């Protein structure tokens, strides 16, 4: 089964609950099995900075979905969790992004793998490092390599928040 890394973020409403509900929805997909889950970090917004802080994390999955099918599933879950796409990088109840899909390299209008801004975002790289520091991202460069290259200011904006404990009682 392909190995997939998915980033999760939320900065509206009950942020922790949105992350839990998104993870539970993904776990209910028969074609997806959760294998690792990073801690949660509270992070400052990037792009549009006049909005609440985010909770961010990264998850690792095995899946039978192809990349485009997986994207459709993630968009459906975002929709079910009241995600509204009004402003690029604006506030959202939940954001689910495919970071890496196995060894896939894809560049389509609606889907780029690896995620095009993965290596520039401390809020993704830091939790990714927690679960797969030696995972190759581009050619011979690992998550560890990219984390070491992050400016200290950006790393300081990613603050450990805690572990997210989920079970079926949260559904």
């Amino acid at each position: 089964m392909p190995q997939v890394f998915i980033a999760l973020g939320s900065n509206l409403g009950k942020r922790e609950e949105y992350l839990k509900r998104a993870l539970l929805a993904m776990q209910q997909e028969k074609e997806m099995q959760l294998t690792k889950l990073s801690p949660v970090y509270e992070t400052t917004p990037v792009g549009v900075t006049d909005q609440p802080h985010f909770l961010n994390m990264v998850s690792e999955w095995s899946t039978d979905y192809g990349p485009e099918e997986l994207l459709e599933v993630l968009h459906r879950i975002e929709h079910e969790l009241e995600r509204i796409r009004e402003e690029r990088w604006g506030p959202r109840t939940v954001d689910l992004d495919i970071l890496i899909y196995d060894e896939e390299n894809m560049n389509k209008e609606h889907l780029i793998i690896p995620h095009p801004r993965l290596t520039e975002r401390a809020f993704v790289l830091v939790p990714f490092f927690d679960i797969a520091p030696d995972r190759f991202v581009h050619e011979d460069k690992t998550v560890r390599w990219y984390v070491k290259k992050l400016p200290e200011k950006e790393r300081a904006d990613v603050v450990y928040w805690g572990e997210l404990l989920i079970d079926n009682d949260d559904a």
Side-chain angles (χ1 to χ4, degrees):
M1 266 194 217
Q3 178 189 48
V4 179
F5 292 90
I6 298 173
L8 297 90
S10 175
N11 77 331
L12 288 179
K14 295 180 179 180
R15 302 173 302 169
E16 178 183 3
E17 291 305 312
Y18 280 113
L19 294 178
K20 284 182 180 182
R21 289 173 57 197
L23 286 165
L24 286 167
M26 287 188 278
Q27 285 181 307
Q28 290 172 356
E29 295 290 324
K30 292 182 181 119
E31 294 80 3
M32 296 179 70
Q33 292 81 42
L34 179 64
T35 54
K36 289 183 186 172
L37 194 59
S38 79
V40 178
Y41 290 85
E42 187 165 41
T43 65
T44 58
V46 173
V48 177
T49 57
D50 185 23
Q51 59 180 313
H53 284 201
F54 279 84
L55 291 184
N56 289 100
M57 64 191 313
V58 172
S59 55
E60 179 186 17
W61 301 81
S62 295
T63 185
D64 284 328
Y65 286 126
E68 295 190 61
E69 292 173 299
L70 179 59
L71 182 64
E72 288 177 21
V73 168
L74 298 181
H75 282 177
R76 177 180 45 80
I77 291 170
E78 288 177 339
H79 179 74
E80 289 169 358
L81 295 177
E82 303 158 1
R83 162 100 190 243
I84 298 170
R85 295 176 184 271
E86 288 181 345
E87 175 183 17
R88 184 174 187 187
W89 299 327
R92 61 207 85 155
T93 56
V94 70
D95 186 27
L96 305 173
D97 289 326
I98 300 170
L99 301 175
I100 291 179
Y101 183 99
D102 221 23
E103 303 304 318
E104 189 76 36
N105 284 294
M106 179 180 288
N107 191 349
K108 296 189 175 186
E109 184 178 332
H110 63 284
L111 180 59
I112 301 172
I113 298 174
H115 191 284
R117 288 170 298 285
L118 160 62
T119 60
E120 305 163 8
R121 304 289 200 226
F123 65 83
V124 172
L125 286 168
V126 171
F128 200 167
F129 178 86
D130 287 335
I131 62 173
D134 298 316
R135 178 64 165 92
F136 286 98
V137 178
H138 293 291
E139 299 168 7
D140 63 342
K141 303 215 175 13
T142 63
V143 172
R144 179 186 314 274
W145 188 90
Y146 286 106
V147 167
K148 285 181 182 177
K149 297 295 181 191
L150 285 171
E152 189 55 41
K153 162 72 172 103
E154 289 181 30
R155 276 203 254 177
D157 287 341
V158 180
V159 178
Y160 178 82
W161 185 84
E163 301 291 328
L164 188 68
L165 302 175
I166 57 170
D167 59 44
N168 290 329
D169 293 338
D170 291 320

